[in-house]
Amino acid sequence: MTAARRWNARRWKDRAAAAVIGLGAAATLVPVLLVLGYVVREGLQALDVAFFTRLPAPVGEPGGGVLNAIVGTLLIDLAAALMGVVVGVGAGVFLSEFREHPASGLVRLVNDVMAGVPAIIVGLVAYELVVRPMGHFSGLAGSVALGLIMVPIVTRATESVLRLVPRELREAGLALGLPRWRVVVSVVLPTARYGVTTGVLLALARVSGEAAPLLFTAFGNPFLNVNLLQPMDSLPLRLFTYAISPYPEWHRLAWGCALVLVALILVTTAAARRAT
């Protein structure tokens, strides 16, 4: 085979591979765009001033909003993030910086198992740990459930990012006489702060749309409540309630909740990419 023929053969193979890759990308992207487009089209019909400023209307009455669900989502997710970040970053640091510790294998095993546990089971665990001892549902119980879901995600992200920090930085800190914990806090973590922040934001985006754990913990509340120790509403719960109802007006509001949740996840994901 001449050089020209070999060149033409390689060029056609390259074009065929590019076409296959393009088809695969389209097969992935088109369904996502269709879903997002449908959610945007239906959800925009529900978004008005009342949607963000009013409480849910009584059953059968038109109008109303989801102010209580928006406030509840922000409070529950913020509390969950505080719990998940503290435990997840700590576990990630332990797995990355203290790999020789006898307990590191057990911690990694537990983290891998937690990463695969369905969210509804996590909700049941939070129900047993928080709801039953308290004697009632609460936003705090919902935060605990979402925090437990965040922990393995933050742990994996933290461990992976910390392992990318050059070993020479650790050795330089130790050579200056710093204790190991101080090297981690003052040298390793600041170096990897952008990657850790990305993991936290992605974990927050992961849990912000979860409804199953909140059914067993936060339970929902049609009134505006800022006390995490009491039942609290959230956008996933309000979406679930409206979606299974027989009222067209509630279906319209459900699409609005879906659009707000999608926008929240998109903003969080974009912030994670910006952090890197």
Side-chain angles (χ1 to χ4, degrees):
M1 183 181 293
T2 63
R5 290 183 177 179
R6 287 197 299 268
W7 168 255
N8 289 331
R10 288 196 297 266
R11 184 174 61 180
W12 282 110
K13 289 180 181 179
D14 177 73
R15 291 179 178 178
V20 171
I21 294 173
L23 290 176
T28 303
L29 187 61
V30 170
V32 174
L33 293 178
L34 290 176
V35 171
L36 289 178
Y38 192 80
V39 171
V40 171
R41 188 189 70 180
E42 298 293 330
L44 285 177
Q45 302 177 18
L47 299 187
D48 52 21
V49 177
F51 182 88
F52 296 98
T53 59
R54 295 182 59 185
L55 297 178
V59 177
E61 292 189 10
V66 294
L67 174 62
N68 58 328
I70 295 175
V71 173
T73 296
L74 295 177
L75 293 177
I76 292 175
D77 289 354
L78 178 60
L82 293 177
M83 301 176 192
V85 168
V86 172
V87 179
V89 172
V93 170
F94 177 76
L95 293 177
S96 173
E97 304 302 313
F98 301 90
R99 281 172 281 181
E100 72 281 358
H101 196 280
S104 62
L106 178 61
V107 173
R108 181 172 286 104
L109 175 63
V110 172
N111 187 75
D112 292 340
V113 172
M114 286 184 60
V117 173
I120 192 170
I121 296 181
V122 177
L124 289 173
V125 172
Y127 175 86
E128 291 293 332
L129 294 178
V130 184
V131 176
R132 292 194 65 180
M134 293 180 63
H136 58 82
F137 300 99
S138 65
L140 178 62
S143 298
V144 170
L146 298 184
L148 289 174
I149 298 174
M150 289 184 64
V151 166
I153 304 174
V154 177
T155 300
R156 283 183 174 180
T158 302
E159 180 187 7
S160 300
V161 172
L162 293 184
R163 288 192 173 187
L164 297 177
V165 177
R167 184 181 60 184
E168 289 76 12
L169 292 179
R170 298 176 175 86
E171 294 175 347
L174 294 173
L176 293 174
L178 296 177
R180 194 171 182 181
W181 69 268
R182 187 61 182 271
V183 172
V184 173
V185 173
S186 301
V187 178
V188 179
L189 279 176
T191 303
R193 62 187 182 276
Y194 294 117
V196 175
T197 302
T198 300
V200 171
L201 292 176
L202 291 177
L204 185 59
R206 163 70 173 80
V207 303
S208 61
E210 289 288 349
L214 300 180
L215 291 172
F216 299 98
T217 52
F219 191 68
N221 190 342
F223 305 103
L224 181 61
N225 174 40
V226 295
N227 184 3
L228 282 171
L229 299 180
Q230 298 297 323
M232 185 173 288
D233 206 0
S234 68
L235 285 171
L237 284 177
R238 186 55 46 182
L239 170 59
F240 174 78
T241 302
Y242 282 168
I244 64 175
S245 71
Y247 308 108
E249 177 67 13
W250 282 14
H251 293 169
R252 183 181 69 86
L253 294 175
W255 282 112
C257 293
L259 179 57
V260 173
L261 277 175
V262 170
L264 178 62
I265 294 173
L266 288 176
V267 169
T268 306
T269 306
R273 293 184 64 86
R274 177 65 177 174
T276 58

